[in-house]
Structure formats: C-alpha cells, structure tokens
C-alpha cells in the first residue's frame, strides 16, 4: 500500500508541477450571471472558457452566491465563454480577446434565458440531475441523493426505478435476479461469484451514476435475462488537479473513498481507492422442519445465532491520451479485495416418530459453525477510439481482462449435550481462480442525418479452476484426515464468439426505430474430478432487439421494445463443492445446469407536465425457459463421500421449468412546492411458474413493491429526506420468500460554497430487527425459517470536492445504442 501511495503521488506531481507553471498567465475575465426575466443572480452557474482557434476547454470556474465570477491565469488569445446551469439554456459569448495591451476583460451582466426540454431525452425528475430517462436506459445520478451518501451501492439501487433490493442485498430488476452487472461499461469477475459482497463494498460516495438498461440493444452482451445495471464510478476530464474525498462512520456500516484526477494538455490520469466494512452483527434464526415418508416422520427444530461481518476495498489507476483530435487511448488497472465471515451456534432437537405416532427417538444436540470467504482480483482495460471526419463515425477496439483468486473455508462441530460429546466434526477449504478476458471491436457509421449503423465483434474467454479439500475428524486418533471421497476438483472453460449489427433511424419522420440482431456461439468444457468430464454441446444463440419510440409535442414519449436474452450458469451454479457447514442443511452446485432463455416485451409512456410533475409508466411481459432457481430436496439419509448424514435438506440450482411474468411499473416525481418534492416507484407483477419437478405443477402469485422518497430543500444548502421501501412476499418454485420493510431519514448540509457537505442518516431507527419468514414445501417436507436481522443503524458522512469543477472540452461521447437517432 505504501508503494502504491508513493507511486500515485509521484505520477500526480508530474502533472501538478507543469500545470502550475503553465497557468501563470496574466489575463483575467470578470462577469456576472443573472436570470433574463427576473434579473436575480444565478448562483453557482458553470462557466467554461474555450479557445476559439482549437475549440478546446482551457479554463473554468463557477459563479458565486451573487452570480459573479472571475477567470484568472488566462493566456493571450481569442476565446468564447459557455455558461450552463440547470433550468437555463446554454449560453455562449464569443470573440473575447485577451492581449498584452488588454489583459483584463470585464464582460458585465450576462443574462441566462429559461430552458425548454430537449427532444433527445426526457427528464423524469424536476431536479434534472437526479434521474434521466433516455430511449432505452434510465440514469440515476448518485451524488444528488442524500440518504445514500453514507451507504453502499446496494443502498443506492433501492432508489432506482424498476429495481428492488432485499435486506440481504440481493437485487431484482423487474422481479428478475438474473442481471448483467457492469462497472464503467465493462464486465468483471467480481460479479461472477459474489454480487452481494461487491454491492455491499462499493461506497455510494465512489459512484457517479447508475444506468439501468431493461431492453439492451444488439451491441450489448446477451447475458442477463433481467437486463443490465451499469455502475459508473467517479472521474472527470477537467484540466488541472481535482478530486474528492468522502468518509462515513456508523453503527452498522463504515466506508470511505478518495478520488484524484489530473489533466495537462492531451493527457490525463485518474486514481481512486475506496473501502467499506459492515460491522459485526448477530442474527437470531430458527428452523422448523417436518418430514414424512411411508414408515415414519420426523421433526427438526433448531435455534441459534450467527455473527456476521464483511469488508472490502477497491483501487484503480487510469490513463487517457488524446493523441490528436481524432484518436484516443484509454487504459485502466485495478485491484479489489472482498471478504466476509460468519460464526454460528445452533441448538437442535430432532424427534423421530413411528407411522402410528409413537416417539422412536428424541435427540438434543448442538452445532458450532464457521464460514469465511475472501477474494482478491485484478482487472485491466485498454481501449483505442478513432473518430473520422464524418460526425459520429467511430472505430473502437478494446481488451478487458480480470482475474480473481477466491478462497472459501468452513468448519463444523456437532456434539451431544448430555453428556457433552463430539460425534462429528469436519472442515473444508475451497480455493479457486476465475479469469475472464473480452476482446471487442465496434464500428459506427452514420448513413444519413437520421440514420446510424453499428456493427462489431467480440470474443469472451472464461475460465474457472476450483479445488475442494475436505478433512474429517478421526475419533480414534483425534486428528483430521483428508477425505478423498468428499474432496473434488473442478476445471471449467467457456468461449463465446459474438457479432452484431444494429441500425438507428427515423421512419416516416414520425417514429424513432432501433433494431438489431446479435449472434453468440458458445462452446464450453467441464471436468469434475468426482464425476469426470461433462459433455457440453456447443450452442448458438440469435438475439434480436427492437425499440420503437415517438415523442409528442407536449413532452410525452411512447415506446415499445422487445429483447431476447440468455442467462448462462454462473460459477456458484456449477461448482460441485459441497458446503456441509450445517450437515442438516447442505448446499452444492449443479454441473449439469442448462442456460436460461428469456424474452421481454415492454410498453413505456412518460410525460413531463408544465409545473414539473413527471410520470413514467412501463408495462412489461417476461417469459423464461429453463428458468434457473434454487431448489431443495429432503433425504432421510444422505451420503457425502464415505460419510452418511441423516435428516438432510440439500439445496442446489435447477432448471425448474418455465416462468412468465406480467407487470406494471409506475415512477412519478411531484414537486409539491418549489422546495418540497416527492418521488415514488411502484411495481406489481403476476408470476406464473410451470415446473417439471417432483413438487411441480402450476404455481402463481401476485408480487408487489413500492417506495416513496420525500425531500425538503429548507435552504439552498440544507436538505432533509425521508425514504421508505416495502417488498411483498415473493413466490418461487417451492414456496414464499420473505417480505421486508425498510425506511431511512437523512439531512445534508452543504459547506464551503457547496464544495463540501455533511450528511447524517438513520436507517430503521424505531426497529432493531427485521423479521424474515421463509416457507418451503418439497416432495416430502415442509419447513419454516425465521430470521431476526439487526438492521437499525445511524451514520454520518463528510464529503469534500477539491480543485476545479468538472468541465468538458468537447461534446460528451454518447452510446448511439442508447440515445435517439442523429438529428432527433
């Protein structure tokens, strides 16, 4: 860590020293920004100074509380000034000359006119910078959200329309957990095995925005039947030195982050380090399970506690170089670490009954368990982008690679209570490596003013190697002997070859269309030491997509979309390692699981009203074949290697059959007054499950969830918020998953001319625990699990931005696959 810090300081000192020398120019520019109608000063408007000869950003500042601004260290030359602020039209002032004879320029009063909503995108919040809705993605800008400031990525996602997060951090998008997560638009092995850990370990202060793509176009990987969630981390292209620091402390969560950016001329460097810890907390849990066969029945009741903690940190260093106005190289490298630990103690009573109801045995015992996980990973990314003379014509090539080293450990000891005697004990180690490399080439060609063609190819290489070493207590010697029968090794390789073509254009000058097709060919090999080589036939997947949109005159947009998706089994789905930390409740992977195939149709409508109220309605249908879910079977006796266990429930991943969902999502933002705003997000869907499993049949249920966020801007620098979220019970192939209710209160005070802020948050302050009840039904068992999860917490966050504000020297590069056609 010391070496890393020293290296970063050295790199940034290279940029800092020349920058300081370069900026010792004599010129100064003064001005004042006011509202064109009311003549009231516009506070904190953004001012960018551009060189007219090169059309590049060379300096920038913000207006103060009186609307006044000053640009210093301006070299001789001819410039234009660009002024921007939310709610106003972008305004330019040209031909500003700074010379040796005229080093000081006084512009006087510059009046900003009010803005009108652009046709290219529809903002679905009166506060434009919080939520934006484009043709097929929604953007949630995190730094404007108060209650998330001292939290983590999972807390932010609770606020995002169409997304829900349960108290354990599991994420659903329109009721689907099969989501393709990206970081800065790139895949990572981080999300392959422990999504919950990653989302619990990225501080919210480190995130710039979150993009939700429910109907991805052909340019995107077909992975993820639920859609795509892209987490954009903070960085900037501002000149000079700038960055931010954020620190949070709390009774349940602690986190911090540090970002720094440096840019001189055509080169820029950015770096960050962030960390998070979920403090040790104790959960109370119980299991009540009844089983029955033709000869007997049994009843298992166990109750105990589990003490859980997690921690993690991330770091990254990036470099970009504008070789010339048409060519750019970007490179990043990162290191990440995540870990969690759980120590449990359970008391159990197992009663066995004869078929006629007589008690055959009544055994009381206890079990002590420990499970630990940690992973450290590296990621590398290099990309080259070439622009041509024709606007929007681009060629981009990139190589993205990540590698992770994972380690899982469990220990379990079972003993009789009277007299106290150990009768079974074991421990297992499960180290593994996971590597993923993506090579991508994309090309964009504008055909006409309103038509754009995109095409590209990609190769994804994915490799997993995992070893499971199990040791069993030998009662005669007291030693733990290596158990060959229960130990295993897994080696899995997968290659995906993809190509796509996509077109964006206008039809009849009335409709905006985006249609595309992607072809993915998958080949895989798997070798499991216990079961040998598993034959996996190569398969080809054709992935069509379509979006049709029309924007009406009165700020209304109507769109319909269709997408076809695939969900390939993940490492946790395939890994044959048997987790026997609780021998009555065993979990393992399924090396024979098949990919899940999904189709989705969406109909969306959004409107912005004159006084700022906005509404977004989405009707959707999603159908999945070979739906992948957790599935539990009960065994009166179950053999693991050469050991036989009794009264065991085994949970694995299965293709349970077909699942169909019909749903509606409603998002609304309502400005009650100029200072009070309410946002709400409500989702409801009917789920139908048809299984071919022993406990199968037709299962259906109604699921709903909703949240409400109320904010009050008491003063320009003080805001308070309240947020509540409720998820109803959800059905799956075997029963009902628990409901949960969470709520937050927060206030944030901005300091130092809005460069700094302090926020205080409270989560579920009136309830120490959240109680979760899960009910499962199998072929010959029923079980009820109750968890009391400590969730009440309080936190404080301090954030400070230093250096220059964020300015862009040229038009922001947008993904043509996610915006309206050119000229729209």
């Amino acid at each position: 860590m010391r070496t890393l810090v020293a290296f970063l300081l050295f790199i940034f000192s290279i940029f800092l020293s020349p920058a300081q020398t370069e900026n010792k120019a004599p010129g100064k520019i003064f001005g004042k920004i006011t509202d064109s109608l009311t003549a009231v000063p516009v506070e904190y408007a953004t001012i960018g100074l551009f060189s007219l000869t090169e059309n590049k950003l060379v300096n920038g500042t913000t207006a103060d509380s009186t609307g006044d601004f000053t640009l210093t260290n301006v070299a001789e030359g001819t410039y234009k000034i660009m002024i921007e602020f939310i709610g106003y039209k972008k305004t330019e002032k040209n031909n500003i000359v700074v010379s040796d004879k005229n080093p000081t320029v006084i512009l006087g009063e510059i009046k900003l006119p009010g803005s009108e909503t652009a046709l290219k995108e529809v903002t679905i919040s009166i506060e434009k910078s919080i939520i934006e809705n484009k043709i097929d993605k929604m953007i949630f800008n995190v730094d404007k959200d108060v209650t998330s400031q001292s939290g983590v990525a999972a807390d932010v996602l609770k606020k995002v329309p169409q997304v829900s997060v349960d108290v354990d951090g599991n994420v659903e998008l329109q009721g689907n957990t099969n989501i393709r997560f990206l970081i800065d638009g790139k895949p990572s092995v981080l999300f392959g095995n422990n999504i919950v850990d990653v989302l619990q370990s990225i501080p919210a202060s480190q995130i710039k925005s979150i993009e939700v793509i429910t109907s991805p176009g052909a340019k995107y990987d077909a992975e993820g039947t639920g859609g795509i969630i892209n987490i954009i981390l903070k960085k900037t292209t501002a000149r000079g030195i700038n960055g931010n620091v954020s620190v949070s402390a709390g009774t349940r969560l602690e986190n911090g982050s540090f970002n720094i950016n440096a840019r001189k001329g055509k080169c820029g460097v950015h770096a960050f380090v962030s960390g998070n810890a979920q403090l040790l907390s104790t959960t109370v849990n119980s299991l009540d399970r009844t089983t029955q066969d033709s000869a007997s029945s049994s009843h298992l009741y166990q109750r105990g506690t589990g003490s859980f903690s997690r921690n993690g940190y991330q770091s990254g260093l990036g470099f970009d170089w504008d070789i010339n106005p048409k060519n750019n190289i970007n490179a990043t490298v990162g290191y990440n670490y995540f870990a969690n630990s759980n120590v449990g103690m359970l008391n159990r009573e197992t009663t066995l009954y004869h078929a006629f109801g007589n008690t055959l045995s009544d055994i009381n015992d206890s079990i002590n368990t420990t499970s630990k996980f940690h992973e450290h990973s590296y990621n590398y990314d290099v990309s080259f982008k070439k622009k041509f003379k024709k606007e929007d014509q681009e060629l981009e090539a990139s190589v993205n690679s990540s590698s992770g080293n994972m380690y899982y450990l469990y220990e379990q000891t079972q003993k009789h209570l009277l007299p106290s005697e150990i009768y079974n004990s074991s421990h297992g180690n499960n180290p593994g490596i996971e590597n993923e490399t993506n090579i991508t080439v994309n090309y964009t060609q504008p055909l006409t003013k309103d038509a754009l063609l995109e095409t590209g190819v990609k190769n994804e290489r994915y490799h997993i190697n995992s070893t499971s070493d199990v040791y069993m207590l030998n009662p005669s010697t007291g030693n733990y002997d290596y158990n060959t029968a229960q130990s295993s090794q897994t080696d899995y390789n997968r290659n995906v070859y993809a190509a796509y073509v996509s077109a964006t254009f206008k039809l009849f000058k009335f409709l905006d269309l985006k249609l595309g097709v992607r072809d993915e060919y998958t080949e895989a090999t798997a070798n499991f030491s216990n079961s040998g080589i598993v034959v996996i036939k190569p398969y080809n997947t054709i992935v069509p997509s379509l979006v049709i949109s029309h924007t009406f005159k009165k700020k209304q947009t109507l769109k319909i979309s269709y997408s076809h998706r695939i969900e390939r089994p993940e490492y946790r789905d395939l890994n044959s390692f048997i987790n026997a930390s609780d021998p009555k409740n065993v979990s393992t992977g399924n090396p024979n699981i098949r990919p899940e195939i999904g189709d989705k149709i969406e109909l969306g409508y959004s409107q912005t009203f004159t006084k700022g109220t906005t509404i977004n309605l989405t009707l959707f249908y999603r159908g999945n074949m070979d739906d992948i879910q957790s599935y539990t079977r009960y065994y009166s006796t179950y053999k693991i290697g050469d050991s036989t266990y009794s009264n065991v429930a085994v949970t694995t991943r299965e293709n349970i059959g077909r699942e169909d969902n019909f749903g509606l999502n409603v998002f609304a933002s309502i400005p009650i007054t100029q200072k009070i705003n309410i946002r709400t997000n409500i989702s409801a869907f009917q789920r139908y499950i048809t299984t071919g499993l022993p406990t199968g049949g037709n299962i259906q249920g109604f699921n709903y969830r909703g949240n409400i966020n109320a904010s009050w801007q008491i003063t320009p620098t003080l805001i308070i918020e309240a947020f509540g979220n409720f998820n109803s019970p959800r059905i799956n192939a075997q029963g009902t998953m628990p409901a949960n209710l969470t709520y937050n209160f927060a206030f944030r005070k901005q300091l130092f001319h809005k460069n700094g802020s302090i926020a205080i948050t409270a989560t579920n302050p009136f309830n120490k625990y959240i109680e979760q009840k899960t009910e499962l039904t199998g072929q010959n068992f029923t079980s009820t699990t109750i968890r009391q999860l400590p969730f009440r917490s309080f936190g404080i966050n301090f954030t400070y931005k230093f250096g220059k504000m964020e300015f862009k020297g040229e038009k922001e590069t947008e993904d043509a696959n996610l915006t309206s056609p050119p000229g729209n």
Side-chain angles (χ1 to χ4, degrees):
M1 179 59 72
R2 292 180 179 176
T3 303
L4 175 62
V5 172
F7 175 71
L8 292 178
L9 291 175
F10 171 73
I11 291 294
F12 285 104
S13 67
I14 295 175
F15 280 83
L16 179 60
S17 179
Q20 290 175 334
T21 304
E22 180 187 65
N23 286 336
K24 291 181 180 179
K28 294 182 180 181
I29 300 175
F30 298 91
K32 185 181 185 70
I33 312 299
T34 62
D35 186 295
S36 63
L37 296 178
T38 64
V40 173
V42 178
E43 302 177 77
Y44 311 114
T46 300
I47 298 96
L49 182 68
F50 291 79
S51 168
L52 279 182
T53 56
E54 298 180 355
N55 195 29
K56 279 192 173 182
L57 179 72
V58 296
N59 205 337
T61 187
T62 56
D64 62 20
S65 59
T66 63
D68 294 319
F69 69 89
T70 303
L71 290 164
T72 60
N73 302 321
V74 180
E76 294 183 20
T78 304
Y79 302 95
K80 71 174 180 179
I81 281 182
M82 185 176 295
I83 304 113
E84 295 182 83
F85 196 67
I86 296 172
Y88 292 89
K89 286 184 178 179
K90 185 186 298 184
T91 301
E92 294 183 9
K93 198 168 184 65
N94 293 295
N95 298 317
I96 300 169
V97 179
V98 176
S99 63
D100 183 47
K101 296 182 179 179
N102 186 35
T104 301
V105 178
I106 301 175
L107 299 176
E109 186 176 353
I110 302 174
K111 298 180 179 181
L112 293 189
S115 67
E116 297 177 359
T117 302
L119 291 178
K120 189 172 183 179
E121 64 185 31
V122 179
T123 299
I124 59 169
S125 170
I126 188 172
E127 190 169 2
K128 182 178 180 180
S129 57
I130 294 179
I131 296 178
E132 300 169 69
N133 185 28
K134 295 191 177 182
I135 189 170
D136 59 356
K137 75 173 176 179
M138 185 170 291
I139 304 172
F140 186 91
N141 293 310
V142 179
D143 59 350
K144 295 297 181 181
D145 183 65
V146 178
T147 55
S148 299
Q149 290 302 302
S150 61
V152 293
D155 298 312
V156 178
L157 285 167
K158 295 176 184 177
K159 303 289 192 70
V160 179
Q162 305 191 72
V163 176
S164 65
V165 184
D166 66 19
V167 294
D168 294 309
N170 299 302
V171 183
E172 291 185 357
L173 179 55
Q174 292 182 342
N176 193 336
T177 58
N178 295 328
I179 303 166
R180 177 71 158 171
F181 281 92
L182 306 174
I183 295 181
D184 289 331
K186 304 293 192 302
S188 173
V189 297
L190 290 176
F191 292 118
N193 187 52
N194 57 332
I195 292 175
V196 172
D197 276 331
V198 176
L199 296 179
Q200 292 286 342
S201 299
I202 302 177
S205 55
Q206 177 66 25
I207 303 171
K208 176 185 176 183
S209 62
I210 292 179
E211 299 177 348
V212 176
I213 309 168
T214 57
S215 297
K219 184 177 181 179
Y220 286 91
D221 293 339
E223 187 78 26
T225 55
I228 294 173
I229 292 180
N230 185 21
I231 299 175
I232 307 295
L233 301 180
K234 288 182 177 177
K235 56 184 176 290
T236 179
T237 57
R239 275 190 134 191
I241 305 292
N242 63 84
N244 65 76
V245 61
S246 178
V247 179
S248 298
T251 59
R252 186 169 178 264
L253 295 174
E254 294 181 344
N255 62 65
S257 67
F258 175 73
N259 295 265
I260 187 167
N261 306 273
R263 175 167 291 276
K264 176 184 178 292
K266 298 179 179 180
C267 295
V269 177
H270 64 271
F272 75 90
V273 59
S274 64
N276 171 272
Q278 181 176 324
L279 306 181
L280 186 68
S281 61
T282 300
T283 299
V284 180
N285 51 72
S286 66
L287 169 67
D288 193 328
R289 185 170 73 214
T290 301
T291 61
Q292 189 169 4
D293 56 34
S294 58
S296 63
S297 63
S298 67
H299 176 249
L300 170 68
Y301 180 78
Q302 61 184 34
R303 181 176 174 84
T305 60
S307 298
F308 180 82
S309 63
R310 66 159 45 97
N311 64 85
Y313 59 86
Q314 297 179 291
S315 61
L317 176 66
F319 170 80
D320 69 273
W321 176 30
D322 293 323
I323 303 172
N324 54 49
K326 300 295 183 182
N327 296 279
N328 171 269
I329 291 178
N330 190 295
T332 61
V333 60
Y335 173 74
N336 313 281
Y337 175 85
F338 302 101
N340 63 59
S341 173
N342 189 52
V343 178
M345 185 280 296
L346 292 169
N347 290 321
R348 302 186 303 202
E349 180 181 12
T350 306
T351 308
L352 182 64
Y353 300 95
H354 191 272
F356 299 105
N358 300 326
T359 301
L360 298 177
S361 64
D362 191 357
I363 300 173
N364 290 276
D365 60 356
S366 67
I367 179 171
N368 295 320
T369 63
T370 298
S371 62
K372 295 182 178 181
F373 172 84
H374 72 258
E375 174 182 4
H376 59 89
S377 65
Y378 303 86
N379 57 275
Y380 318 87
D381 180 75
V382 179
S383 62
F384 170 75
K385 181 180 289 187
K386 180 177 181 58
K387 297 181 179 181
F388 299 87
K389 291 182 179 180
K390 199 170 186 178
E391 187 178 0
D392 293 324
Q393 184 183 7
E394 290 182 353
L395 175 67
E396 183 177 12
S398 67
V399 178
N400 168 257
S401 181
S402 56
S403 61
N405 289 270
M406 300 161 290
Y407 185 82
Y408 178 80
L409 161 73
Y410 84 84
E411 299 174 353
Q412 66 87 14
T413 299
Q414 301 177 76
K415 62 182 180 179
H416 295 298
L417 297 180
L418 295 173
S420 180
E421 176 190 12
I422 295 176
Y423 67 88
N424 184 283
S425 183
S426 65
H427 65 83
N429 305 319
N430 182 208
I433 60 172
E434 186 176 8
N435 300 316
E436 181 175 351
T437 300
N438 296 271
I439 302 173
T440 308
V441 178
N442 295 313
Y443 176 71
T444 304
Q445 174 67 52
L447 302 177
T448 66
K449 178 183 177 182
D450 295 329
L452 194 68
L453 179 69
E454 295 176 281
T455 187
V457 294
K458 180 177 181 178
N459 175 220
E460 174 194 310
R461 297 180 177 270
Y462 185 60
H463 174 237
I464 297 172
N465 185 276
S466 174
T467 301
S468 170
D469 297 320
V470 178
Y471 299 83
M472 304 292 296
L473 176 66
N474 187 331
S476 61
T477 64
N479 296 325
Y480 284 85
D481 298 332
Y482 182 79
N483 189 294
T484 305
Q486 293 193 35
S487 301
S488 64
Q489 186 168 355
T490 300
D491 191 81
Y492 177 81
N493 290 277
R494 184 180 73 207
N495 282 333
V496 180
Y497 304 92
Y500 77 93
V501 62
S502 175
T504 307
F505 57 93
K506 277 188 174 294
L507 185 65
F508 309 125
K509 298 183 180 181
F510 177 75
L511 296 175
D512 297 327
L513 268 74
K514 288 177 52 182
L515 57 88
V517 63
R518 185 181 185 90
D519 188 7
E520 294 193 345
Y521 179 80
T522 305
E523 56 183 21
T525 60
N527 190 348
F528 304 94
S529 60
N530 287 345
S531 57
I533 297 176
V534 176
V535 178
I536 303 175
K537 292 183 179 180
Y539 54 93
N540 195 72
T541 308
I542 303 296
V543 186
S545 62
L546 171 67
V547 179
I548 303 173
S549 175
H550 175 67
T551 301
F552 299 89
K553 291 183 178 180
K554 295 184 178 180
K555 303 178 183 178
Q556 302 175 71
T557 300
L558 183 68
K559 67 177 180 179
I560 186 169
S561 62
Y562 166 77
S563 62
H564 183 76
R565 309 287 292 166
I566 185 172
E567 182 69 23
R568 300 180 182 91
E570 297 177 351
Y571 171 71
R572 63 189 176 97
D573 301 323
L574 298 164
N575 189 1
S576 57
F577 171 66
I578 298 176
N579 179 0
S581 58
D582 180 356
K584 299 294 184 184
N585 299 279
V586 173
S587 62
T588 184
N590 179 2
N592 298 309
I593 199 167
R594 300 182 301 276
E596 174 184 318
I597 304 297
D599 293 280
K600 180 187 288 184
I601 299 173
E602 289 184 312
L603 177 64
Y605 171 80
S606 62
Q607 181 173 6
T608 302
F609 297 90
T610 54
K611 293 187 177 181
T613 296
T614 61
I615 187 169
N616 184 280
L617 306 175
T618 304
L619 283 168
F620 66 88
Y621 161 76
R622 185 182 68 251
N624 297 338
M625 296 174 57
D626 285 331
D627 194 44
I628 299 174
Q629 288 190 21
S630 292
Y631 193 81
T632 302
R633 292 178 173 88
Y634 170 77
Y635 299 88
S636 56
T637 60
Y638 187 74
K639 193 171 184 179
I640 304 176
D642 54 1
S643 299
T644 301
Y645 298 90
S646 62
N647 197 9
V648 180
V650 180
T651 300
T652 185
R653 302 281 281 176
E654 296 282 356
N655 297 108
I656 59 96
R658 180 174 181 86
E659 179 182 310
D660 295 279
N661 294 267
F662 300 85
L664 169 67
N665 183 264
V666 180
F667 174 84
S669 177
I670 305 171
I672 305 300
T673 68
Q674 289 185 344
K675 296 184 177 181
I676 299 176
N677 188 74
I678 293 178
R679 299 198 308 269
T680 185
N681 182 43
I682 300 171
S683 182
F685 55 93
Q686 183 75 15
R687 173 170 290 172
Y688 299 89
I689 300 175
T690 304
T691 76
L693 299 171
T695 57
N698 296 326
I699 305 167
Q700 62 175 295
F702 183 69
N703 302 261
Y704 61 94
R705 59 207 49 173
N707 63 52
I708 186 169
N709 188 96
S711 62
W712 179 18
Q713 189 80 51
I714 301 174
T715 71
T717 59
L718 177 62
I719 186 173
I720 62 173
E721 272 193 13
F723 174 77
N725 182 75
F726 176 76
N727 288 347
S728 74
R730 289 101 68 204
I731 67 162
N732 62 17
Q734 287 187 286
T736 304
M737 304 304 290
N740 60 77
L741 171 66
T742 60
Y743 53 94
N744 305 76
F745 302 98
F747 84 86
R748 181 170 65 172
K749 172 68 176 177
Q750 292 179 297
L751 310 167
F752 314 121
H753 300 290
K754 296 189 177 182
N755 287 323
S757 69
I758 185 169
I760 295 177
T761 62
T763 301
N764 283 43
F766 306 118
N767 303 89
K768 182 177 180 180
Y769 293 99
I770 289 178
E771 185 170 288
Q772 294 185 291
K773 183 178 181 180
T774 303
E775 296 178 320
L776 294 180
T777 300
Q779 186 176 13
N780 51 0
F781 78 94
T782 59
S783 70
T784 300
T785 303
I786 297 176
R787 288 200 312 155
Q788 290 182 301
L789 180 70
F791 208 70
R792 180 167 61 193
S793 64
F794 302 91
I796 184 170
N797 167 266
F798 175 75
T799 300
Y800 182 74
K801 296 184 292 184
F802 58 88
K804 293 183 180 180
M805 301 293 289
E806 295 185 8
F807 302 101
K808 295 182 177 67
E810 54 187 63
K811 188 177 85 172
E812 181 181 5
T813 301
E814 295 182 325
D815 187 343
N817 195 50
L818 299 178
T819 56
S820 301
N824 187 38

